[in-house]
Amino acid sequence: MTGEAAATAAALPRIRVFARLRRRFAAAPWAATAEMAARLGYVARGVVYLSIGAIALLAAIGLAPHPHGAIGALKAWARWPLGVVLLWLTGLGLYGFAGWRALQAVFDADNQGSGPKALASRLGQALSGVIYGSLAVSIFGIIDTLHDLRHAELEKTSERVAKVMTWPLGPKLVILLGLFILACGVGNAVRAIFDNFGSTLKCQPKVTSWACWLARVGYFGRGLAMLPVGFFMLRAGWHERAAEARGVGSALGALHAQTFGDAVLALVALGVVAFGVFAFVEAWYRPIRPEAALRQGEAPGAIEKDRAPRSSAHRTV
């Protein structure tokens, strides 16, 4: 095959993707818009995790003072010439992702059903939507206050926990939150071992193979990153001291200070980076069909046969 023919063959899948998008916008504009928002949301999620993982990796090798959580990592963008543009795009993408989570959780866009396992999955997707929607709000808060970036993530986390402490049964709620985060961390690590991540992708077997390994590394690293956050949250509620609560960046910083902390932090950082890269894979290869959730019909033949199969892999990702 000549070089020109090879380039043409490589470009065909991309051409088919854009042709399909044109057909979908012509046949069902609202469904196509929801799909594009969801895909941009996966990209935005990937950018957030790549930022967290990259800064944590730099901290592990001594090129950055300390790790950062999502807000701290995104604040660093404000110092770049195009930082505000990146923040805007990420914030809008996360709003789109929160909307996709709402379609998954409330309207069952993934066709999971209403069994106990499916309802647990949809509840997790709803919580995920709330978290990413809140992160989007925080990003636009950063844009509004670029002149004052002095508040650290530790202060904000402690302030939020302190407010919860004032509620009825506040310390117990903080303990439950810590246990929930620990459970999510363990759950992500377990998923890394047993889940079939390829069931939510439509791509060539070769791509599915390496994408699954990328997902396993990513989910395991993400799970490990959650464990110190849950531990500090649990301890804050147990001791009734909000100052002991830590966000992701501060929790990873505490991990970094331990014996062999550099090596452990580097492994966690690489896992978080892998999770971010897998989000880009999902943005491109994951079938997203919100037609049923939006209750909008399409012209005959417009819906392709790439609806994601009902699978345990539709759990919160």
Side-chain angles (χ1 to χ4, degrees):
M1 182 180 292
T2 65
E4 182 178 353
T8 302
L12 285 177
R14 190 177 305 170
I15 294 173
R16 286 197 295 267
V17 167
F18 288 111
R20 181 180 62 81
L21 286 175
R22 285 197 298 269
R23 291 196 302 270
R24 282 180 56 73
F25 271 105
W30 286 111
T33 300
E35 178 187 346
M36 289 302 300
R39 296 195 187 281
L40 290 176
Y42 279 109
V43 171
R45 184 171 73 158
V47 167
V48 171
Y49 277 94
L50 279 176
S51 301
I52 297 172
I55 293 178
L57 186 60
L58 291 174
I61 62 179
L63 297 181
H66 50 76
H68 286 294
I71 298 301
L74 295 176
K75 279 182 179 179
W77 292 8
R79 300 181 179 89
W80 298 356
L82 296 177
V84 175
V85 176
L86 291 173
L87 288 173
W88 267 96
L89 293 175
T90 303
L92 291 174
L94 291 177
Y95 274 133
F97 191 74
W100 169 238
R101 285 300 196 215
L103 291 177
Q104 289 176 303
V106 180
F107 299 104
D108 195 15
D110 282 333
N111 193 30
Q112 298 182 82
S114 57
K117 190 174 182 179
L119 290 177
S121 171
R122 291 166 64 180
L123 175 60
Q125 290 168 338
L127 293 173
S128 174
V130 171
I131 291 171
Y132 286 110
S134 300
L135 180 56
V137 172
S138 299
I139 289 174
F140 286 107
I142 293 173
I143 296 173
D144 289 338
T145 58
L146 286 178
H147 63 281
D148 185 5
L149 300 178
R150 294 174 296 176
H151 296 292
E153 182 189 11
L154 172 60
E155 294 175 340
K156 289 192 173 182
T157 301
S158 299
E159 289 171 2
R160 291 169 182 170
V161 173
K163 292 179 181 178
V164 175
M165 290 283 195
T166 63
W167 298 353
L169 303 177
K172 291 182 175 59
L173 292 175
V174 175
I175 290 174
L176 289 176
L177 178 59
L179 291 173
F180 175 76
I181 296 173
L182 287 172
C184 288
V186 173
N188 273 262
V190 171
R191 287 195 63 189
I193 300 172
F194 296 106
D195 226 333
N196 177 18
F197 297 98
S199 65
T200 58
L201 303 176
K202 186 188 179 185
C203 51
Q204 297 296 325
K206 183 183 294 186
V207 176
T208 302
S209 178
W210 64 256
C212 285
W213 279 108
L214 188 68
R216 294 189 192 286
V217 174
Y219 272 85
F220 193 79
R222 185 195 192 201
L224 291 182
M226 289 181 175
L227 294 181
V229 179
F231 169 75
F232 283 115
M233 193 67 66
L234 179 63
R235 195 171 73 170
W238 186 267
H239 294 158
E240 299 188 17
R241 288 199 295 266
E244 295 188 18
R246 300 285 190 274
V248 174
S250 299
L252 291 179
L255 179 66
H256 179 47
Q258 303 302 313
T259 306
F260 303 111
D262 289 346
V264 175
L265 181 61
L267 290 175
V268 172
L270 289 173
V272 173
V273 168
F275 187 86
V277 175
F278 182 68
F280 287 101
V281 174
E282 288 188 290
W284 188 257
Y285 291 113
R286 192 187 198 282
I288 297 176
R289 291 294 177 267
E291 285 82 359
L294 294 173
R295 300 182 183 280
Q296 178 175 334
E298 289 196 336
I303 302 177
E304 298 177 0
K305 298 179 182 180
D306 56 355
R307 181 183 297 273
R310 187 180 298 180
S311 165
S312 62
H314 282 303
R315 288 174 292 180
T316 307
V317 293

